[in-house]
Amino acid sequence: MRFKDVFSIIGPSMVGPSSSHTAGAVRLGRTARHVLGGLPEHAEIIFYGSFATTYRGHGTDLAIIAGLLNYDTDDMRIKDAFDRAKDAGMEVEIRSAQKAGMHPNTATLILRRGDQKVIVTGCSIGGGNIEIVSIDDFDVKFTAVYPTLLIFHADRRGILAEMTDIFKHADANIGYMEVDRKSRSGDALTVIESDEVLPTEWIDQIVQLRDVYKVRVIHLTSKGDLS
Amino acid sequence: MRFSNLEQLIQLCIKESVTIGQLMITEQAAETGKSVQEVIGQMAAYYEIMKEAVFKGIESDMKPRSGLTGGDAKRVHTYLLNDVTSLGTEACTSMAYALAVSEINASMGRIIATPTAGSCGIIPGVFVSSQERFGWSDEHMVHGLFSAGAIGYVIANNSFVSGAEGGCQAEVGSAIGMAAGALVELRGGTPEQAVHAVGLALKNSLGLICDPVGGLVEIPCIVRNGFGAVTAMAAADMALAGVKSVIPSDEVIDVMLEVGSAMPEKHRETAMGGLAQTPTGKKIMKELYGKGER
């Protein structure tokens, strides 16, 4: 099911004018920020499809920037996001591009912070709901509705069992899980959606697993950065 | 959720002797692991925001950023208070309220997406005006929102709710179907009648394209919300009178998917067709972006 619950239909509480172009865009920006692990110093935003043709009228640019500033969908500061970004020291570049076969409301965000860089592509599928479809060169598919863990690691025998074992001991339930690897024994990304936010001590255990490079937490109902 | 189409939803309601709204509350609580009180609390908070948007939109001269629209809710409200309306006061009030919420949305005010922001006026328009008319409690209205949400959940997962995917039939059409079904239930109709209202309502918006002038959620979105509220009430009345959707509502939802998928891209929120590309639409677009409107 693309839409998970009643509040993905009634809701979110948001600042207009478009749930796809504004609320969904805020969530795309916020998710990307959480993937990076904090406020970007530089953000390149690329719009595709209907995003590219109508982002000005909908304030989609403002909304993505607001998300990068970690604002929620009903934050009244969204309309001042450009100025707020400047104050926060975030440089923003916006452009449009064409690519066939994409969802009509797609954006790619290339974010930099220190020596960290992430490329996040996501779609706004209606009613403020989103789907993240790629992170760096990995194909993924998650909605950011649930607390989500992104585990960047090396493809190695047994590593998934070690991860899920930690969930077992933390008494946390995994609702959805997917793995994409660049090549056999190469880099891999595991996405785990769980019913509850994993307490920090358990996340630390995942971070400490051999061959795990980094772990990011995406939880859009929380106010702060979790990574 | 234990249902994925409207037929399953009705069967569950019949089996458990509950309304669609009651069923949705317990399903939502089970799905999210939250308590029934928490789930109801969130919806109640949303209803407050809806009411706030209605009254703010009626009272103030909202000016969307473009300067193209605004003040229509107040215009209709003043008219219905001082003149004899064609529709009758009740339908006209729901129309004014729906316009009000849509105008708040266009001016970057706070609204609840129901199911989207482009269609956010219809449910509050129907709900708030009906609450005033029938003297219903907020609690009753919140149950109604769960009923609307259950219907929307089925539509969204079997078809679509965004204009970019399925045209305006998906946005405004879904909201009309949700409002119609919920209103039937609020008025004491059966789950089966509520679902007939959904089918009747959806049929009336099939094929509606998404053609926002300048790509803004203003022309024709705002007035379509006003019309949508009235259509929802009409569909609810038909269903309460015993009119059935001969084509089962689930099949109508499938048709919406078929029609929306076949719609050319220019008629799906790209502002490259329809009203957006009329001589006046093009002139507006040129003026807006020519003068540096972001």
Side-chain angles (χ1 to χ4, degrees), chain A residues 24-71:
Chain A
V26 170
R27 286 176 165 169
L28 285 175
R30 238 185 130 198
T31 302
R33 175 195 171 114
H34 289 206
V35 176
L36 181 70
L39 179 77
E41 288 156 7
H42 187 274
E44 188 180 347
I45 302 166
I46 307 163
F47 288 123
Y48 300 95
S50 165
F51 266 2
T53 51
T54 67
Y55 78 87
R56 287 186 187 85
H58 288 122
T60 312
D61 43 1
L62 294 170
I64 293 229
I65 294 165
L68 293 172
L69 291 166
N70 217 18
Y71 297 171

mmCIF file of all heavy atoms in Angstrom, chain A residues 24-71:
data_model
loop_
_atom_site.group_PDB
_atom_site.id
_atom_site.type_symbol
_atom_site.label_atom_id
_atom_site.label_comp_id
_atom_site.label_asym_id
_atom_site.label_seq_id
_atom_site.Cartn_x
_atom_site.Cartn_y
_atom_site.Cartn_z
ATOM 1 N N GLY A 24 4.942 17.764 0.763
ATOM 2 C CA GLY A 24 5.794 16.640 0.346
ATOM 3 C C GLY A 24 7.233 17.103 0.154
ATOM 4 O O GLY A 24 8.179 16.407 0.518
ATOM 5 N N ALA A 25 7.374 18.312 -0.376
ATOM 6 C CA ALA A 25 8.721 18.845 -0.615
ATOM 7 C C ALA A 25 9.439 19.130 0.706
ATOM 8 O O ALA A 25 10.645 18.895 0.832
ATOM 9 C CB ALA A 25 8.622 20.108 -1.466
ATOM 10 N N VAL A 26 8.698 19.622 1.695
ATOM 11 C CA VAL A 26 9.307 19.832 3.021
ATOM 12 C C VAL A 26 9.854 18.495 3.524
ATOM 13 O O VAL A 26 10.990 18.393 3.997
ATOM 14 C CB VAL A 26 8.276 20.388 4.037
ATOM 15 C CG1 VAL A 26 8.850 20.368 5.445
ATOM 16 C CG2 VAL A 26 7.856 21.807 3.669
ATOM 17 N N ARG A 27 9.060 17.453 3.386
ATOM 18 C CA ARG A 27 9.473 16.138 3.884
ATOM 19 C C ARG A 27 10.662 15.575 3.095
ATOM 20 O O ARG A 27 11.514 14.910 3.672
ATOM 21 C CB ARG A 27 8.291 15.172 3.843
ATOM 22 C CG ARG A 27 7.294 15.468 4.947
ATOM 23 C CD ARG A 27 6.081 14.572 4.840
ATOM 24 N NE ARG A 27 5.291 14.598 6.063
ATOM 25 C CZ ARG A 27 4.080 14.063 6.156
ATOM 26 N NH1 ARG A 27 3.541 13.462 5.111
ATOM 27 N NH2 ARG A 27 3.412 14.116 7.285
ATOM 28 N N LEU A 28 10.675 15.854 1.785
ATOM 29 C CA LEU A 28 11.838 15.405 0.997
ATOM 30 C C LEU A 28 13.107 16.097 1.505
ATOM 31 O O LEU A 28 14.146 15.456 1.708
ATOM 32 C CB LEU A 28 11.642 15.745 -0.489
ATOM 33 C CG LEU A 28 10.666 14.888 -1.290
ATOM 34 C CD1 LEU A 28 10.498 15.444 -2.705
ATOM 35 C CD2 LEU A 28 11.133 13.441 -1.353
ATOM 36 N N GLY A 29 12.999 17.400 1.732
ATOM 37 C CA GLY A 29 14.152 18.155 2.210
ATOM 38 C C GLY A 29 14.599 17.677 3.580
ATOM 39 O O GLY A 29 15.790 17.489 3.847
ATOM 40 N N ARG A 30 13.628 17.437 4.435
ATOM 41 C CA ARG A 30 13.949 17.014 5.805
ATOM 42 C C ARG A 30 14.583 15.631 5.834
ATOM 43 O O ARG A 30 15.533 15.375 6.565
ATOM 44 C CB ARG A 30 12.656 16.992 6.626
ATOM 45 C CG ARG A 30 12.761 17.894 7.818
ATOM 46 C CD ARG A 30 11.567 17.808 8.702
ATOM 47 N NE ARG A 30 12.016 17.603 10.061
ATOM 48 C CZ ARG A 30 11.257 17.147 11.015
ATOM 49 N NH1 ARG A 30 10.003 16.826 10.770
ATOM 50 N NH2 ARG A 30 11.741 16.992 12.232
ATOM 51 N N THR A 31 14.026 14.744 5.000
ATOM 52 C CA THR A 31 14.594 13.395 4.933
ATOM 53 C C THR A 31 16.041 13.465 4.456
ATOM 54 O O THR A 31 16.934 12.834 5.029
ATOM 55 C CB THR A 31 13.764 12.518 3.976
ATOM 56 O OG1 THR A 31 12.423 12.505 4.441
ATOM 57 C CG2 THR A 31 14.289 11.100 3.917
ATOM 58 N N ALA A 32 16.280 14.281 3.416
ATOM 59 C CA ALA A 32 17.634 14.396 2.869
ATOM 60 C C ALA A 32 18.584 14.951 3.927
ATOM 61 O O ALA A 32 19.732 14.518 4.048
ATOM 62 C CB ALA A 32 17.617 15.283 1.631
ATOM 63 N N ARG A 33 18.110 15.926 4.696
ATOM 64 C CA ARG A 33 18.948 16.471 5.768
ATOM 65 C C ARG A 33 19.334 15.368 6.759
ATOM 66 O O ARG A 33 20.471 15.269 7.193
ATOM 67 C CB ARG A 33 18.187 17.581 6.509
ATOM 68 C CG ARG A 33 18.962 18.112 7.719
ATOM 69 C CD ARG A 33 18.067 18.926 8.646
ATOM 70 N NE ARG A 33 18.763 19.234 9.895
ATOM 71 C CZ ARG A 33 19.110 20.465 10.273
ATOM 72 N NH1 ARG A 33 18.840 21.479 9.509
ATOM 73 N NH2 ARG A 33 19.729 20.652 11.424
ATOM 74 N N HIS A 34 18.366 14.524 7.091
ATOM 75 C CA HIS A 34 18.651 13.451 8.043
ATOM 76 C C HIS A 34 19.606 12.418 7.445
ATOM 77 O O HIS A 34 20.373 11.793 8.162
ATOM 78 C CB HIS A 34 17.349 12.807 8.525
ATOM 79 C CG HIS A 34 16.559 13.710 9.429
ATOM 80 N ND1 HIS A 34 15.686 13.240 10.370
ATOM 81 C CD2 HIS A 34 16.524 15.062 9.545
ATOM 82 C CE1 HIS A 34 15.132 14.271 11.014
ATOM 83 N NE2 HIS A 34 15.634 15.380 10.515
ATOM 84 N N VAL A 35 19.518 12.227 6.122
ATOM 85 C CA VAL A 35 20.460 11.309 5.468
ATOM 86 C C VAL A 35 21.875 11.881 5.566
ATOM 87 O O VAL A 35 22.840 11.165 5.817
ATOM 88 C CB VAL A 35 20.086 11.065 3.981
ATOM 89 C CG1 VAL A 35 21.127 10.185 3.303
ATOM 90 C CG2 VAL A 35 18.703 10.434 3.872
ATOM 91 N N LEU A 36 21.980 13.205 5.406
ATOM 92 C CA LEU A 36 23.295 13.846 5.529
ATOM 93 C C LEU A 36 23.767 13.828 6.983
ATOM 94 O O LEU A 36 24.959 13.687 7.255
ATOM 95 C CB LEU A 36 23.207 15.296 5.024
ATOM 96 C CG LEU A 36 24.501 16.110 5.061
ATOM 97 C CD1 LEU A 36 25.482 15.584 4.003
ATOM 98 C CD2 LEU A 36 24.229 17.593 4.804
ATOM 99 N N GLY A 37 22.815 13.993 7.897
ATOM 100 C CA GLY A 37 23.173 13.994 9.309
ATOM 101 C C GLY A 37 23.304 15.375 9.910
ATOM 102 O O GLY A 37 23.910 15.560 10.962
ATOM 103 N N GLY A 38 22.730 16.378 9.261
ATOM 104 C CA GLY A 38 22.758 17.728 9.814
ATOM 105 C C GLY A 38 22.522 18.768 8.741
ATOM 106 O O GLY A 38 22.225 18.428 7.586
ATOM 107 N N LEU A 39 22.628 20.039 9.111
ATOM 108 C CA LEU A 39 22.385 21.141 8.165
ATOM 109 C C LEU A 39 23.431 21.134 7.051
ATOM 110 O O LEU A 39 24.628 21.142 7.328
ATOM 111 C CB LEU A 39 22.442 22.483 8.908
ATOM 112 C CG LEU A 39 22.237 23.724 8.041
ATOM 113 C CD1 LEU A 39 20.768 23.920 7.704
ATOM 114 C CD2 LEU A 39 22.804 24.966 8.716
ATOM 115 N N PRO A 40 23.004 21.137 5.802
ATOM 116 C CA PRO A 40 23.985 21.200 4.716
ATOM 117 C C PRO A 40 24.625 22.593 4.651
ATOM 118 O O PRO A 40 23.974 23.590 4.976
ATOM 119 C CB PRO A 40 23.142 20.970 3.457
ATOM 120 C CG PRO A 40 21.767 20.666 3.905
ATOM 121 C CD PRO A 40 21.616 21.088 5.311
ATOM 122 N N GLU A 41 25.883 22.629 4.231
ATOM 123 C CA GLU A 41 26.497 23.934 3.973
ATOM 124 C C GLU A 41 26.155 24.366 2.546
ATOM 125 O O GLU A 41 26.043 25.538 2.254
ATOM 126 C CB GLU A 41 28.022 23.823 4.130
ATOM 127 C CG GLU A 41 28.431 23.679 5.589
ATOM 128 C CD GLU A 41 29.776 23.009 5.775
ATOM 129 O OE1 GLU A 41 30.475 22.757 4.775
ATOM 130 O OE2 GLU A 41 30.124 22.739 6.936
ATOM 131 N N HIS A 42 26.000 23.350 1.688
ATOM 132 C CA HIS A 42 25.650 23.636 0.310
ATOM 133 C C HIS A 42 24.593 22.639 -0.158
ATOM 134 O O HIS A 42 24.720 21.444 0.086
ATOM 135 C CB HIS A 42 26.893 23.545 -0.591
ATOM 136 C CG HIS A 42 26.615 23.994 -1.988
ATOM 137 N ND1 HIS A 42 26.118 23.155 -2.954
ATOM 138 C CD2 HIS A 42 26.734 25.206 -2.574
ATOM 139 C CE1 HIS A 42 25.945 23.831 -4.076
ATOM 140 N NE2 HIS A 42 26.316 25.079 -3.879
ATOM 141 N N ALA A 43 23.563 23.159 -0.797
ATOM 142 C CA ALA A 43 22.499 22.272 -1.293
ATOM 143 C C ALA A 43 22.226 22.586 -2.751
ATOM 144 O O ALA A 43 21.974 23.738 -3.108
ATOM 145 C CB ALA A 43 21.227 22.466 -0.479
ATOM 146 N N GLU A 44 22.315 21.563 -3.584
ATOM 147 C CA GLU A 44 21.931 21.710 -4.983
ATOM 148 C C GLU A 44 20.619 20.963 -5.150
ATOM 149 O O GLU A 44 20.524 19.772 -4.842
ATOM 150 C CB GLU A 44 23.025 21.099 -5.861
ATOM 151 C CG GLU A 44 22.826 21.373 -7.324
ATOM 152 C CD GLU A 44 23.937 20.753 -8.167
ATOM 153 O OE1 GLU A 44 24.968 20.340 -7.603
ATOM 154 O OE2 GLU A 44 23.756 20.667 -9.379
ATOM 155 N N ILE A 45 19.597 21.681 -5.621
ATOM 156 C CA ILE A 45 18.265 21.086 -5.744
ATOM 157 C C ILE A 45 17.918 20.990 -7.224
ATOM 158 O O ILE A 45 17.959 22.004 -7.932
ATOM 159 C CB ILE A 45 17.210 21.946 -5.018
ATOM 160 C CG1 ILE A 45 17.587 22.099 -3.527
ATOM 161 C CG2 ILE A 45 15.818 21.354 -5.173
ATOM 162 C CD1 ILE A 45 16.810 23.199 -2.815
ATOM 163 N N ILE A 46 17.607 19.775 -7.686
ATOM 164 C CA ILE A 46 17.259 19.595 -9.098
ATOM 165 C C ILE A 46 15.803 19.123 -9.180
ATOM 166 O O ILE A 46 15.443 18.106 -8.589
ATOM 167 C CB ILE A 46 18.177 18.556 -9.773
ATOM 168 C CG1 ILE A 46 19.650 18.927 -9.536
ATOM 169 C CG2 ILE A 46 17.886 18.480 -11.277
ATOM 170 C CD1 ILE A 46 20.615 17.790 -9.786
ATOM 171 N N PHE A 47 14.995 19.880 -9.901
ATOM 172 C CA PHE A 47 13.585 19.533 -10.049
ATOM 173 C C PHE A 47 13.325 18.848 -11.384
ATOM 174 O O PHE A 47 13.870 19.253 -12.411
ATOM 175 C CB PHE A 47 12.721 20.792 -9.983
ATOM 176 C CG PHE A 47 12.629 21.394 -8.612
ATOM 177 C CD1 PHE A 47 12.999 22.709 -8.389
ATOM 178 C CD2 PHE A 47 12.158 20.651 -7.543
ATOM 179 C CE1 PHE A 47 12.904 23.275 -7.125
ATOM 180 C CE2 PHE A 47 12.057 21.198 -6.275
ATOM 181 C CZ PHE A 47 12.438 22.520 -6.063
ATOM 182 N N TYR A 48 12.448 17.836 -11.342
ATOM 183 C CA TYR A 48 12.033 17.136 -12.563
ATOM 184 C C TYR A 48 10.508 17.212 -12.713
ATOM 185 O O TYR A 48 9.795 17.400 -11.727
ATOM 186 C CB TYR A 48 12.430 15.657 -12.493
ATOM 187 C CG TYR A 48 13.907 15.422 -12.358
ATOM 188 C CD1 TYR A 48 14.467 15.238 -11.095
ATOM 189 C CD2 TYR A 48 14.742 15.386 -13.464
ATOM 190 C CE1 TYR A 48 15.824 15.016 -10.940
ATOM 191 C CE2 TYR A 48 16.101 15.173 -13.328
ATOM 192 C CZ TYR A 48 16.642 14.988 -12.066
ATOM 193 O OH TYR A 48 17.983 14.775 -11.924
ATOM 194 N N GLY A 49 10.031 16.988 -13.922
ATOM 195 C CA GLY A 49 8.590 16.843 -14.194
ATOM 196 C C GLY A 49 7.784 18.069 -13.798
ATOM 197 O O GLY A 49 8.165 19.208 -14.071
ATOM 198 N N SER A 50 6.653 17.811 -13.125
ATOM 199 C CA SER A 50 5.766 18.894 -12.711
ATOM 200 C C SER A 50 6.453 19.803 -11.687
ATOM 201 O O SER A 50 6.202 21.014 -11.633
ATOM 202 C CB SER A 50 4.477 18.286 -12.138
ATOM 203 O OG SER A 50 3.739 19.233 -11.435
ATOM 204 N N PHE A 51 7.350 19.240 -10.894
ATOM 205 C CA PHE A 51 8.148 20.065 -9.977
ATOM 206 C C PHE A 51 8.900 21.134 -10.777
ATOM 207 O O PHE A 51 8.969 22.290 -10.378
ATOM 208 C CB PHE A 51 9.172 19.190 -9.234
ATOM 209 C CG PHE A 51 8.715 18.696 -7.885
ATOM 210 C CD1 PHE A 51 7.450 18.986 -7.393
ATOM 211 C CD2 PHE A 51 9.577 17.946 -7.082
ATOM 212 C CE1 PHE A 51 7.040 18.530 -6.144
ATOM 213 C CE2 PHE A 51 9.176 17.490 -5.834
ATOM 214 C CZ PHE A 51 7.910 17.780 -5.368
ATOM 215 N N ALA A 52 9.487 20.716 -11.897
ATOM 216 C CA ALA A 52 10.304 21.629 -12.686
ATOM 217 C C ALA A 52 9.455 22.738 -13.302
ATOM 218 O O ALA A 52 9.871 23.898 -13.355
ATOM 219 C CB ALA A 52 11.045 20.866 -13.784
ATOM 220 N N THR A 53 8.221 22.376 -13.747
ATOM 221 C CA THR A 53 7.418 23.378 -14.459
ATOM 222 C C THR A 53 6.665 24.307 -13.505
ATOM 223 O O THR A 53 6.354 25.431 -13.876
ATOM 224 C CB THR A 53 6.418 22.707 -15.422
ATOM 225 O OG1 THR A 53 5.694 21.706 -14.708
ATOM 226 C CG2 THR A 53 7.120 22.070 -16.603
ATOM 227 N N THR A 54 6.343 23.845 -12.314
ATOM 228 C CA THR A 54 5.474 24.676 -11.459
ATOM 229 C C THR A 54 6.039 24.961 -10.064
ATOM 230 O O THR A 54 5.316 25.385 -9.187
ATOM 231 C CB THR A 54 4.080 24.019 -11.286
ATOM 232 O OG1 THR A 54 4.215 22.818 -10.525
ATOM 233 C CG2 THR A 54 3.433 23.688 -12.610
ATOM 234 N N TYR A 55 7.334 24.752 -9.874
ATOM 235 C CA TYR A 55 7.837 24.920 -8.503
ATOM 236 C C TYR A 55 7.757 26.351 -7.988
ATOM 237 O O TYR A 55 7.550 26.580 -6.799
ATOM 238 C CB TYR A 55 9.263 24.361 -8.374
ATOM 239 C CG TYR A 55 10.386 25.227 -8.914
ATOM 240 C CD1 TYR A 55 10.985 26.200 -8.111
ATOM 241 C CD2 TYR A 55 10.865 25.047 -10.209
ATOM 242 C CE1 TYR A 55 12.026 26.977 -8.609
ATOM 243 C CE2 TYR A 55 11.900 25.819 -10.708
ATOM 244 C CZ TYR A 55 12.479 26.785 -9.912
ATOM 245 O OH TYR A 55 13.483 27.551 -10.384
ATOM 246 N N ARG A 56 7.843 27.314 -8.896
ATOM 247 C CA ARG A 56 7.806 28.709 -8.444
ATOM 248 C C ARG A 56 6.456 29.052 -7.821
ATOM 249 O O ARG A 56 6.392 29.605 -6.740
ATOM 250 C CB ARG A 56 8.067 29.646 -9.608
ATOM 251 C CG ARG A 56 9.516 29.651 -10.055
ATOM 252 C CD ARG A 56 9.727 30.716 -11.121
ATOM 253 N NE ARG A 56 11.055 30.630 -11.686
ATOM 254 C CZ ARG A 56 11.369 29.828 -12.681
ATOM 255 N NH1 ARG A 56 10.454 29.045 -13.223
ATOM 256 N NH2 ARG A 56 12.598 29.798 -13.152
ATOM 257 N N GLY A 57 5.390 28.697 -8.560
ATOM 258 C CA GLY A 57 4.050 29.029 -8.078
ATOM 259 C C GLY A 57 3.699 28.324 -6.787
ATOM 260 O O GLY A 57 2.943 28.828 -5.966
ATOM 261 N N HIS A 58 4.218 27.133 -6.594
ATOM 262 C CA HIS A 58 3.875 26.343 -5.407
ATOM 263 C C HIS A 58 4.807 26.589 -4.239
ATOM 264 O O HIS A 58 4.582 26.063 -3.159
ATOM 265 C CB HIS A 58 3.929 24.849 -5.753
ATOM 266 C CG HIS A 58 2.810 24.390 -6.627
ATOM 267 N ND1 HIS A 58 3.012 23.794 -7.841
ATOM 268 C CD2 HIS A 58 1.484 24.422 -6.447
ATOM 269 C CE1 HIS A 58 1.842 23.490 -8.380
ATOM 270 N NE2 HIS A 58 0.904 23.862 -7.557
ATOM 271 N N GLY A 59 5.885 27.320 -4.463
ATOM 272 C CA GLY A 59 6.854 27.502 -3.376
ATOM 273 C C GLY A 59 7.592 26.216 -3.044
ATOM 274 O O GLY A 59 8.009 26.000 -1.902
ATOM 275 N N THR A 60 7.758 25.335 -4.055
ATOM 276 C CA THR A 60 8.435 24.058 -3.804
ATOM 277 C C THR A 60 9.888 24.286 -3.381
ATOM 278 O O THR A 60 10.436 23.564 -2.549
ATOM 279 C CB THR A 60 8.401 23.192 -5.081
ATOM 280 O OG1 THR A 60 7.063 23.209 -5.583
ATOM 281 C CG2 THR A 60 8.795 21.758 -4.794
ATOM 282 N N ASP A 61 10.499 25.317 -3.969
ATOM 283 C CA ASP A 61 11.881 25.641 -3.598
ATOM 284 C C ASP A 61 11.956 26.041 -2.125
ATOM 285 O O ASP A 61 12.807 25.559 -1.367
ATOM 286 C CB ASP A 61 12.441 26.740 -4.521
ATOM 287 C CG ASP A 61 11.448 27.878 -4.794
ATOM 288 O OD1 ASP A 61 10.326 27.847 -4.266
ATOM 289 O OD2 ASP A 61 11.821 28.817 -5.525
ATOM 290 N N LEU A 62 11.017 26.904 -1.716
ATOM 291 C CA LEU A 62 10.968 27.317 -0.309
ATOM 292 C C LEU A 62 10.776 26.106 0.594
ATOM 293 O O LEU A 62 11.396 25.981 1.653
ATOM 294 C CB LEU A 62 9.787 28.271 -0.078
ATOM 295 C CG LEU A 62 9.829 29.635 -0.746
ATOM 296 C CD1 LEU A 62 8.491 30.333 -0.602
ATOM 297 C CD2 LEU A 62 10.927 30.483 -0.113
ATOM 298 N N ALA A 63 9.892 25.207 0.146
ATOM 299 C CA ALA A 63 9.541 24.052 0.969
ATOM 300 C C ALA A 63 10.730 23.109 1.153
ATOM 301 O O ALA A 63 10.988 22.634 2.266
ATOM 302 C CB ALA A 63 8.367 23.311 0.335
ATOM 303 N N ILE A 64 11.455 22.844 0.084
ATOM 304 C CA ILE A 64 12.610 21.948 0.206
ATOM 305 C C ILE A 64 13.648 22.572 1.125
ATOM 306 O O ILE A 64 14.212 21.908 2.002
ATOM 307 C CB ILE A 64 13.225 21.661 -1.188
ATOM 308 C CG1 ILE A 64 12.221 20.861 -2.000
ATOM 309 C CG2 ILE A 64 14.593 20.950 -1.038
ATOM 310 C CD1 ILE A 64 12.707 19.632 -2.697
ATOM 311 N N ILE A 65 13.872 23.856 0.957
ATOM 312 C CA ILE A 65 14.850 24.547 1.801
ATOM 313 C C ILE A 65 14.392 24.504 3.265
ATOM 314 O O ILE A 65 15.181 24.257 4.178
ATOM 315 C CB ILE A 65 15.054 26.002 1.312
ATOM 316 C CG1 ILE A 65 15.709 25.967 -0.076
ATOM 317 C CG2 ILE A 65 15.897 26.802 2.284
ATOM 318 C CD1 ILE A 65 15.641 27.273 -0.827
ATOM 319 N N ALA A 66 13.080 24.712 3.477
ATOM 320 C CA ALA A 66 12.540 24.635 4.839
ATOM 321 C C ALA A 66 12.809 23.253 5.438
ATOM 322 O O ALA A 66 13.165 23.121 6.611
ATOM 323 C CB ALA A 66 11.045 24.933 4.831
ATOM 324 N N GLY A 67 12.636 22.231 4.621
ATOM 325 C CA GLY A 67 12.921 20.870 5.083
ATOM 326 C C GLY A 67 14.390 20.690 5.429
ATOM 327 O O GLY A 67 14.735 20.063 6.435
ATOM 328 N N LEU A 68 15.246 21.265 4.612
ATOM 329 C CA LEU A 68 16.684 21.181 4.890
ATOM 330 C C LEU A 68 17.021 21.902 6.193
ATOM 331 O O LEU A 68 17.973 21.553 6.888
ATOM 332 C CB LEU A 68 17.489 21.774 3.728
ATOM 333 C CG LEU A 68 17.429 20.995 2.408
ATOM 334 C CD1 LEU A 68 18.094 21.781 1.283
ATOM 335 C CD2 LEU A 68 18.082 19.623 2.556
ATOM 336 N N LEU A 69 16.191 22.899 6.535
ATOM 337 C CA LEU A 69 16.376 23.603 7.813
ATOM 338 C C LEU A 69 15.720 22.838 8.961
ATOM 339 O O LEU A 69 15.701 23.313 10.097
ATOM 340 C CB LEU A 69 15.775 25.009 7.714
ATOM 341 C CG LEU A 69 16.505 25.990 6.787
ATOM 342 C CD1 LEU A 69 15.626 27.212 6.507
ATOM 343 C CD2 LEU A 69 17.842 26.416 7.390
ATOM 344 N N ASN A 70 15.154 21.675 8.635
ATOM 345 C CA ASN A 70 14.510 20.785 9.612
ATOM 346 C C ASN A 70 13.154 21.281 10.092
ATOM 347 O O ASN A 70 12.687 20.899 11.165
ATOM 348 C CB ASN A 70 15.431 20.544 10.823
ATOM 349 C CG ASN A 70 15.307 19.119 11.328
ATOM 350 O OD1 ASN A 70 14.822 18.235 10.633
ATOM 351 N ND2 ASN A 70 15.749 18.884 12.558
ATOM 352 N N TYR A 71 12.484 22.141 9.306
ATOM 353 C CA TYR A 71 11.143 22.591 9.682
ATOM 354 C C TYR A 71 10.132 21.488 9.352
ATOM 355 O O TYR A 71 10.318 20.727 8.422
ATOM 356 C CB TYR A 71 10.735 23.845 8.901
ATOM 357 C CG TYR A 71 11.583 25.064 9.135
ATOM 358 C CD1 TYR A 71 11.430 26.200 8.345
ATOM 359 C CD2 TYR A 71 12.541 25.113 10.157
ATOM 360 C CE1 TYR A 71 12.187 27.337 8.550
ATOM 361 C CE2 TYR A 71 13.302 26.243 10.362
ATOM 362 C CZ TYR A 71 13.131 27.351 9.552
ATOM 363 O OH TYR A 71 13.877 28.475 9.740
#
